[in-house]
Each structure stands twice: as structure tokens, then as C-alpha cells.
């Protein structure tokens, strides 16, 4: 076993032609099959993957690694979609598969007639859940984009509560002589107890771990130990009370990480990171090797009808569930799930060792068909891991599905992303809409005001880290210069100004920026992310009934209405004044000339008017502070208005002169 463990995984990564076609999980299962056959060939009994070993020692490191380094932003933004797939999708798969398998058992002949409805529903609940170990092993190799990865992997993590509830529920119902309505209602309520209870246990241990790390500044060596110890205690406590251990591990990892990393040293953080990765990789390798060995060593009962029906109905239930749920989810999502995304989600529903271990826990007394269930489950696991796992990479390339971004986002992108979060929070404040960003901002404020002061030691809880880190880097650079002999003697109290004033002639003309290591760059990223400008304090929500009235608003509205009426009246007057030209002997012109023989508005005629006759004058512009519509002018008497109305007609056009075109341009 140790020979297979040490030679299979490194040899797999050395040969790129094999790793580009065959997933690592497939190779490990093949190694397990070979090791099991070799052990059986020499006359020994191969070891079997026992459920206690799997659930107590092999599964927790993988779940802790996934929960501790969970991409929290993508997970929370898609939490609703993940919960629908994990809860509703798993329930659909369990009851659809269990009901159809019960029908197959009733029609399948004498070998299947004795399998009842509860046994088939129990089998459906075991085989319906997506396995997180298999999903991690396959999806990390194909480098799928973050959205699809978190949807499938989040579903595999959160459906554990549904699987545990259904498994224990149908196992208990199998011992009852009669199942009542009260039992069904209690079983439904137990789902909330198992899921929320597991989360509560994980949060409690996460807070205890964060609080303990506050007092480890003098014993840095044991800092990583508290992370592993409290996480494992959360898992064991949840399993002790038949709660969801996976939910407890995820909750503890998510809660403790930001506070623990603020308290522990950088070396402890590196130790936690690489030890978790190594521990989860070893557990994953052992799980797939043990699956291969257990296939050779276990007792099997092959029934073609049951096995083929199980495989076929698993695929049908997965496809139908994803299509129906995605159609419903897309009604509420801003970023819709495309048909390509739906295909990858349906195709990525892999089964693994959790289903095998749960089936291995069944008691022969109540489930005499356990060997047939194990054979069908192993067949489904091998099909999903080998066929779907090996073909999903070329299908992703064929469909041109978006891949994961290989490089990290720049600091500029992170700053703009957080700026957009603040902007959306402000928009929700103005609109009075309590959306995702509003509650996220409330949680951040509560965390900063109360939680960080209790769980983070010293000045770090107040987050003045940016300037302190800058002075720390300057101090380190000064010490390195002294040690290298670049600067003579520096006083004991080193400051930035004193460093700049020492021997300025030796400094180069252009400043050479020191190259930062990846660890320093990551630390700067974290500091910038934590010290960006926070959103403003929440003001009163927008409400048109509570706005303060503008004292000038009514006067402006009255003025605008008067101006609008004046323009409409002027437009009507212009329409009326476009009348045919009157002759000089017409009654209208004669009456106008008789009434006003000497100028307009009762004023004495000017010398120009005596020589040239009647002349229309342009109205003088009004002063800037007056209203030119409502302030009456000197010539706005009724007689002047009548005169202007009569004289506004230009009369007949003059005859065109020689050389002038008959039809002027522009007409």
C-alpha cells in the first residue's frame, strides 16, 4: 500500500501525456485494483475501506481544507443557487430514483420482489448526493471557471445535511412497524436541526479557536495546532449528536480564518496552508486507492436489471433536476446560467466514497440486499469517475467553456471591485432597498465594531496596518543597508527622514524599487483589502413623503407655468398673424392708419419716421434680473399691439432684379 501511495501520484504528474487524458482519481483507483488483486493473489485478504476509518480520519482533512480556503465571495453571492441545487436537487434525486427503483424491483422478477419501498428510498438517498472528494479531484484538474466550480463544489458540500437526514430517517423507518404522519413531520423538522445544528457547532468552535489564537503571541510554535484541534473537535461534536459534521467543519473554517490569520505569525500561516494541502492530498489518495482495493476484496451480488437501472436513472434524474431547477433559478439571477453551464453542472455530478461508506454501514439484519446495493454503488462510482471524469475535459474544450483565470487579480482590480461594492451599498441606501450589499455592510460594521475587538489582539483590531507596515518595510530596508555596509553609522532611533538625509550623494538619480516576494505582495494585498475606504454611515432611506420641502420650489413652478402659457399664446398669435397681405385701401389698414397717424403707442413721430413712414423697432432687451415675459414694456398698450399685429405681415415680395434667380436658395 505504501509503495502504491509513494509511486502512483508523483509518477502520474511526471508523465504529462497521461495526466492530460486520465484524471488522477482514475489512476489511483486502478492502482488500488492492482494492489488488491496482488494481495488476493498471494492468498491474503485485502483490507476494506471501513466506514469508521473513512468518516473519522480520511474525510475531515479534505473538508477542512475546502472550508478553510473557501472562496467566500463567490460562495455567498451564489448561496441561493447552491442551496437550491443542494437541498431541492438532492431531494428530487433521492425520491425520483427511489420510486423508480421500487417500480423496477416490483417488475424485475423473483430476485427483486422482496425489496420494499423504504429500502429503495434509502438506496436513493445514498446514491443521490454529489461527492465533494470526487468533484475536487476532477474539477481542479480541468480548471473550470469560478462560477461553475463553486456551484458544483458548493452543492457537494451542503448536500451532506440532506443525505445524513434521509439516511438516518429511512434507516429508523425500516425498524418501525408503521410510519405515521407525525414521524414524517418530525423527519422533516430534523433536517433543519441537523443542518443548522452543525453550522452552530462549527461557529462556536470557530469563535473559540479565534479567541485562543489571540493569546499565542509568545508561543508561535503551537499556533497551527489550535486550528486543527478545534476544527476536528467541531466535527466530532457534530457527529456525536448526529448532526452534519461536514457543515460543522465548513462553518468552523470559514469563521476562524480571518481572525486567526490576523493573530498568528506569517510562518504559522504558511504551515497551516501547506499542511492542510498535504493532509487533504494524502487522504484523497488513500480514499481512491481503498476504493479500488475494496472493490476486489468486497462481497458482490450482480443483478443486471438493478445495476443498469440504477445507472440509467441516476443520469436521468440528474439531467432533469438541473434543467428544471435552472429554469426556475434563472428567473431570479442577474447572470443567467447558459445551456453550456447547465450541461457542465449536470455532467459534473460525480459520486464517490461517501456513498460507498454509507452503504457499508447498513446492517445485514434489516438490509439483506446490502451486497447488491454496494455493487450498484461501485458501478455508478466507476462510471462517473472514469467515463464522466475522463470526458469532461475534452467536452469543456469542445464547448469553449470559460476557464479559470490563471493569474491573480491585480491590486487595481481588487480596489475597483470593492469600490463597486461601496457604490452598490450606497445605491441601496438611497433607494431604501435591503439587498445583499446592505446586509453585507451591516455585518461588516458589526464585525468591526464588536467582534474584531474581542477576537483580534492589540492594535490589529483597529486596522491601522498600512502605515505600520510601511514603516516596518523601511526599518527592514535600513537594517539590510547597515548589514551590507552601504551606509556608515546610523543612530539607534532610525526614522525615514534620517535615512534619507544620510549620505545623499551616494543615492542614484533614479529610484530603484525593491523587488517584492510573493509573500510580501500577498501581505500588501491583504492590508489594502482591509484598509480600503469603508462605506459611509447609513442615512435615512429615501422616501418621497418625508422629504423637506424647498421654499423656492413653488415659486419656480409658478414661473415656469406662466412662461409656458406665454409661449403657447405667442405661438397661437403667430399662427393667426400669417394672413394674406392687405391692400392699402383695405378697411383694416385704413382704420389702422386713421387711428395711429403719428407713430406707435401715442409717442411723437421721430424725424426718421417722417421721412420713411412707419418703422418697426426691435424691443430693447430686458435687464438680467427681470422677467421678460411678465414685465410690461413701454409699447405694450392695446393700440400698439393692434398696430404690431397689422404691420407684422411683410406684404407682397419685391420683383427679382436682373441676375437674381427666380427661386431663391433655401426655398
Amino acid at each position: 500500500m505504501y509503495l502504491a501511495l509513494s509511486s502512483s501520484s508523483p509518477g502520474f504528474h511526471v508523465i504529462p501525456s497521461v495526466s492530460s487524458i486520465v484524471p488522477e482519481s482514475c489512476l489511483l483507483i486502478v492502482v488500488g485494483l492492482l494492489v488488491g488483486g496482488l494481495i488476493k493473489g498471494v492468498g491474503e485478504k485485502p483490507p476494506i475501506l471501513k466506514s469508521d476509518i473513512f468518516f473519522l480520519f480520511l474525510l475531515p482533512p479534505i473538508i477542512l481544507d475546502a472550508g478553510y480556503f473557501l472562496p467566500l465571495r463567490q460562495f455567498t453571492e451564489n448561496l441561493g443557487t447552491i442551496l437550491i441545487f443542494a437541498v431541492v436537487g438532492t431531494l428530487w434525486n433521492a425520491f425520483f430514483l427511489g420510486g423508480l427503483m421500487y417500480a423496477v424491483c416490483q417488475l424485475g422478477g423473483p430476485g427483486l420482489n422482496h425489496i420494499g419501498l423504504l429500502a429503495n428510498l434509502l438506496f436513493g438517498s445514498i446514491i443521490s448526493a454529489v461527492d465533494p472528494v470526487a468533484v475536487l479531484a476532477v474539477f481542479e484538474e480541468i480548471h473550470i471557471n469560478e462560477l461553475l466550480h463553486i456551484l458544483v463544489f458548493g452543492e457537494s458540500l451542503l448536500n451532506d445535511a440532506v443525505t445524513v437526514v434521509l439516511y438516518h430517517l429511512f434507516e429508523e423507518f425500516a425498524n418501525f412497524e408503521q410510519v405515521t404522519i407525525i414521524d414524517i413531520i418530525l423527519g422533516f423538522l430534523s433536517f433543519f436541526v441537523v443542518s443548522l445544528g452543525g453550522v452552530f457547532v462549527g461557529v462556536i468552535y470557530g469563535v473559540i479557536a479565534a479567541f485562543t489564537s489571540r493569546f499565542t503571541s509568545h508561543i508561535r510554535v503551537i499556533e497551527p495546532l489550535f486550528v486543527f484541534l478545534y476544527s476536528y473537535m467541531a466535527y466530532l461534536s457534530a457527529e456525536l449528536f448526529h448532526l452534519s459534521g461536514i457543515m460543522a467543519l465548513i462553518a468552523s473554517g470559514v469563521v476562524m480564518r480571518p481572525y486567526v490569520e490576523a493573530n498568528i505569525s506569517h510562518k504559522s500561516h504558511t504551515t497551516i496552508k501547506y499542511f492542510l494541502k498535504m493532509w487533504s492530498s494524502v487522504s484523497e489518495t488513500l480514499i481512491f486507492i481503498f476504493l479500488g482495493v475494496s472493490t476486489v476484496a468486497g462481497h458482490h451480488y450482480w443483478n443486471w436489471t438493478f445495476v443498469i437501472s440504477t445507472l440509467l436513472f441516476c443520469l436521468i434524474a440528474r439531467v432533469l433536476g438541473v434543467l428544471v431547477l435552472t429554469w426556475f433559478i434563472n428567473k431570479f439571477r442577474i447572470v443567467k446560467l447558459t445551456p453550456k453551464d447547465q450541461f457542465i453542472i449536470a455532467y459534473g455530478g460525480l459520486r464517490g466514497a461517501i456513498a460507498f461508506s454509507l452503504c457499508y454501514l447498513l446492517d445485514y439484519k434489516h438490509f439483506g440486499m446490502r451486497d447488491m446495493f454496494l455493487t450498484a454503488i461501485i458501478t455508478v462510482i466507476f462510471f462517473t469517475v472514469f467515463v464522466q471524469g475522463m470526458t469532461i475535459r475534452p467536452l469543456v474544450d469542445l464547448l469553449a467553456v470559460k476557464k479559470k483565470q490563471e493569474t491573480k487579480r491585480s491590486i487595481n482590480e481588487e480596489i475597483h471591485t470593492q469600490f463597486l461594492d461601496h457604490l452598490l451599498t450606497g445605491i441601496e441606501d438611497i433607494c431604501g432597498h435591503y439587498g445583499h450589499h446592505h446586509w453585507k455592510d451591516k455585518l461588516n460594521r458589526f464585525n468591526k465594531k464588536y467582534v474584531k475587538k474581542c477576537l483580534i489582539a492589540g492594535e490589529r483590531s483597529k486596522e491601522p496596518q498600512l502605515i505600520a507596515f510601511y514603516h516596518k518595510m523601511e526599518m527592514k530596508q535600513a537594517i539590510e543597508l547597515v548589514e551590507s555596509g552601504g551606509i556608515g553609522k546610523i543612530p539607534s532611533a532610525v526614522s525615514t527622514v534620517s535615512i534619507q538625509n544620510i549620505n545623499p550623494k551616494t543615492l542614484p538619480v533614479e529610484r530603484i524599487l525593491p523587488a517584492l516576494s510573493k509573500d510580501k505582495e500577498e501581505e500588501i494585498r491583504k492590508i489594502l483589502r482591509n484598509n480600503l475606504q469603508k462605506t459611509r454611515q447609513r442615512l435615512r432611506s429615501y422616501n418621497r413623503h418625508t422629504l423637506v420641502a424647498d421654499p423656492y420650489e413653488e415659486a419656480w413652478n409658478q414661473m415656469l407655468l406662466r412662461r409656458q402659457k406665454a409661449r403657447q399664446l405667442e405661438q397661437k398669435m403667430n399662427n393667426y398673424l400669417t394672413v394674406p397681405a392687405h391692400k392699402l385701401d383695405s378697411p383694416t389698414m385704413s382704420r389702422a392708419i386713421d387711428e395711429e397717424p403719428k407713430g406707435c403707442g401715442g409717442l411723437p413721430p421721430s424725424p426718421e419716421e417722417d421721412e420713411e413712414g412707419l418703422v418697426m423697432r426691435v424691443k430693447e432687451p430686458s435687464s438680467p434680473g427681470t422677467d421678460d415675459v411678465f414685465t410690461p414694456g413701454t409699447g405694450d398698450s392695446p393700440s400698439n399691439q393692434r398696430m404690431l399685429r397689422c404691420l407684422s405681415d411683410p406684404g407682397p415680395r419685391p420683383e427679382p432684379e436682373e441676375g437674381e434667380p427666380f427661386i431663391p436658395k433655401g426655398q
Side-chain angles (χ1 to χ4, degrees):
M1 180 63 66
Y2 289 106
L3 178 63
L5 177 60
S6 60
S7 61
S8 59
S9 185
F12 168 79
H13 291 287
V14 167
I15 308 174
S17 59
V18 177
S19 62
S20 61
I21 300 175
V22 184
E24 184 179 358
S25 56
C26 300
L27 178 67
L28 293 175
I29 291 177
V30 172
V31 170
L33 291 172
L34 295 177
V35 171
L38 182 63
I39 294 175
K40 198 171 184 178
V42 296
E44 298 291 335
K45 184 178 180 181
I48 298 178
L49 179 60
K50 296 183 179 180
S51 300
D52 295 338
I53 296 176
F54 173 77
F55 284 111
L56 292 179
F57 303 110
L58 297 181
L59 183 62
I62 300 174
I63 303 302
L64 178 59
D65 175 57
Y68 193 81
F69 298 104
L70 185 70
L72 198 58
R73 181 184 179 89
Q74 291 88 352
F75 183 79
T76 54
E77 288 179 351
N78 299 280
L79 183 59
T81 304
I82 293 172
L83 285 175
I84 290 176
F85 279 127
V87 178
V88 182
T90 306
L91 289 174
W92 156 258
N93 289 338
F95 285 98
F96 179 82
L97 183 62
L100 289 180
M101 290 308 299
Y102 176 70
V104 169
C105 291
Q106 297 302 313
L107 303 174
L112 302 175
N113 288 334
H114 63 283
I115 304 177
L117 178 61
L118 285 177
N120 282 289
L121 289 176
L122 176 63
F123 175 74
S125 66
I126 293 173
I127 199 63
S128 61
V130 179
D131 189 77
V133 181
V135 170
L136 269 178
V138 174
F139 271 59
E140 286 186 352
E141 293 184 13
I142 62 177
H143 302 289
I144 202 68
N145 63 76
E146 291 86 354
L147 175 62
L148 294 179
H149 184 273
I150 199 63
L151 287 181
V152 181
F153 180 60
E155 176 193 357
S156 66
L157 288 177
L158 299 187
N159 63 12
D160 173 71
V162 182
T163 304
V164 169
V165 168
L166 293 179
Y167 178 82
H168 291 294
L169 188 66
F170 293 133
E171 190 178 24
E172 291 293 331
F173 284 173
N175 300 326
F176 293 171
E177 297 180 358
Q178 184 179 1
V179 179
T180 61
I181 301 296
I182 298 178
D183 297 331
I184 297 176
I185 295 175
L186 292 176
F188 176 76
L189 294 177
S190 65
F191 164 73
F192 297 97
V193 175
V194 169
S195 57
L196 298 180
V199 172
F200 179 75
V201 171
V203 169
I204 293 297
Y205 278 98
V207 172
I208 295 175
F211 187 75
T212 306
S213 66
R214 181 176 179 175
F215 306 100
T216 57
S217 57
H218 302 291
I219 41 174
R220 297 292 189 186
V221 179
I222 64 173
E223 284 177 339
L225 182 62
F226 288 110
V227 175
F228 309 137
L229 177 64
Y230 284 113
S231 300
Y232 194 60
M233 287 177 63
Y235 180 81
L236 293 180
S237 300
E239 291 293 333
L240 180 64
F241 295 102
H242 294 286
L243 303 175
S244 176
I246 292 179
M247 299 287 287
L249 267 179
I250 296 170
S252 64
V254 169
V255 169
M256 76 169 65
R257 182 186 178 186
Y259 310 108
V260 167
E261 289 188 351
N263 291 325
I264 64 177
S265 64
H266 184 70
K267 292 182 179 179
S268 299
H269 168 70
T270 305
T271 303
I272 293 172
K273 178 181 177 181
Y274 287 102
F275 187 79
L276 276 180
K277 295 296 181 184
M278 181 270 297
W279 197 8
S280 63
S281 178
V282 170
S283 298
E284 182 181 321
T285 302
L286 287 175
I287 285 171
F288 285 111
I289 289 178
F290 267 118
L291 271 177
V293 175
S294 301
T295 303
V296 177
H299 301 282
H300 301 288
Y301 179 79
W302 185 270
N303 187 294
W304 281 98
T305 304
F306 191 85
V307 173
I308 299 301
S309 300
T310 301
L311 181 60
L312 183 63
F313 291 150
C314 278
L315 299 177
I316 294 175
R318 179 68 181 176
V319 172
L320 291 179
V322 169
L323 291 178
V324 175
L325 292 178
T326 307
W327 172 82
F328 175 75
I329 290 169
N330 279 340
K331 293 181 177 295
F332 305 96
R333 285 183 62 91
I334 298 176
V335 181
K336 311 294 183 184
L337 296 176
T338 63
K340 294 180 181 179
D341 299 336
Q342 299 175 34
F343 176 78
I344 297 300
I345 293 173
Y347 205 75
L350 308 179
R351 273 67 170 182
I354 290 182
F356 176 85
S357 300
L358 287 175
C359 188
Y360 193 81
L361 285 174
L362 294 178
D363 191 3
Y364 267 117
K365 296 180 180 179
H366 301 96
F367 302 97
M369 71 297 298
R370 193 190 76 168
D371 292 340
M372 186 174 64
F373 284 176
L374 275 174
T375 304
I377 288 173
I378 290 176
T379 305
V380 173
I381 292 173
F382 281 16
F383 180 85
T384 56
V385 172
F386 280 91
V387 178
Q388 295 179 215
M390 291 177 62
T391 56
I392 192 170
R393 185 196 296 268
L395 286 175
V396 167
D397 296 335
L398 180 64
L399 297 175
V401 180
K402 183 180 177 182
K403 294 293 188 69
K404 182 180 179 181
Q405 187 179 0
E406 296 296 335
T407 58
K408 287 186 177 181
R409 293 190 305 174
S410 64
I411 298 178
N412 188 21
E413 291 176 347
E414 293 186 2
I415 292 175
H416 281 80
T417 301
Q418 193 154 356
F419 166 74
L420 289 176
D421 291 341
H422 297 330
L423 181 63
L424 291 173
T425 304
I427 293 174
E428 290 183 356
D429 286 347
I430 295 173
C431 298
H433 174 69
Y434 300 126
H436 168 74
H437 294 86
H438 168 80
W439 295 112
K440 182 179 178 182
D441 180 63
K442 286 285 187 183
L443 184 61
N444 289 335
R445 291 184 185 279
F446 178 80
N447 181 34
K448 181 179 179 181
K449 189 174 181 180
Y450 300 106
V451 181
K452 282 189 174 181
K453 293 180 180 179
C454 300
L455 301 182
I456 298 180
E459 295 294 328
R460 295 181 181 181
S461 60
K462 300 178 182 179
E463 294 182 350
Q465 302 175 4
L466 190 58
I467 299 175
F469 183 74
Y470 173 76
H471 286 300
K472 180 181 177 183
M473 291 184 63
E474 290 287 343
M475 182 70 72
K476 185 176 181 180
Q477 185 179 8
I479 294 173
E480 290 177 354
L481 287 173
V482 171
E483 292 176 352
S484 62
I487 298 179
K489 187 176 180 181
I490 295 182
S492 57
V494 183
S495 64
T496 306
V497 178
S498 62
I499 292 175
Q500 293 176 355
N501 293 332
I502 294 175
N503 199 7
K505 295 181 180 180
T506 59
L507 295 177
V509 179
E510 296 182 359
R511 183 181 178 185
I512 301 176
L513 297 176
L516 296 176
S517 62
K518 292 185 178 180
D519 297 335
K520 287 292 182 62
E521 184 180 354
E522 187 65 28
E523 190 171 356
I524 292 174
R525 284 176 184 271
K526 185 171 65 175
I527 292 174
L528 286 175
R529 194 181 302 116
N530 293 334
N531 289 276
L532 288 175
Q533 180 62 35
K534 302 300 180 183
T535 51
R536 56 180 174 80
Q537 295 294 331
R538 177 168 176 80
L539 301 178
R540 295 180 62 185
S541 301
Y542 170 78
N543 190 346
R544 61 188 180 89
H545 300 292
T546 59
L547 290 178
V548 180
D550 189 357
Y552 300 100
E553 184 177 3
E554 185 175 358
W556 279 107
N557 290 337
Q558 294 293 336
M559 185 177 293
L560 291 175
L561 288 174
R562 289 201 300 267
R563 288 187 178 184
Q564 186 177 5
K565 290 180 180 179
R567 291 192 185 97
Q568 293 176 356
L569 181 60
E570 184 180 357
Q571 185 177 5
K572 291 181 180 179
M573 290 176 62
N574 290 335
N575 293 335
Y576 285 124
L577 290 177
T578 54
V579 296
H582 298 285
K583 296 181 181 180
L584 294 177
D585 55 352
S586 62
T588 307
M589 186 59 69
S590 300
R591 192 183 313 114
I593 294 175
D594 292 340
E595 290 179 357
E596 301 291 337
K598 296 180 181 181
C600 300
L603 297 176
S606 63
E608 296 178 357
E609 291 179 356
D610 292 340
E611 296 177 1
E612 301 177 4
L614 295 173
V615 178
M616 295 184 63
R617 298 183 181 276
V618 180
K619 187 178 179 180
E620 293 294 331
S622 59
S623 61
T626 59
D627 189 357
D628 56 344
V629 178
F630 310 109
T631 305
T634 57
D636 288 344
S637 61
S639 60
N640 286 338
Q641 292 179 4
R642 287 196 300 270
M643 177 59 66
L644 290 175
R645 185 182 301 172
C646 296
L647 296 179
S648 60
D649 184 49
R653 295 182 60 83
E655 295 293 334
E657 299 179 359
E658 294 183 1
E660 184 180 357
F662 182 74
I663 301 177
K665 295 181 180 180
Q667 294 186 5

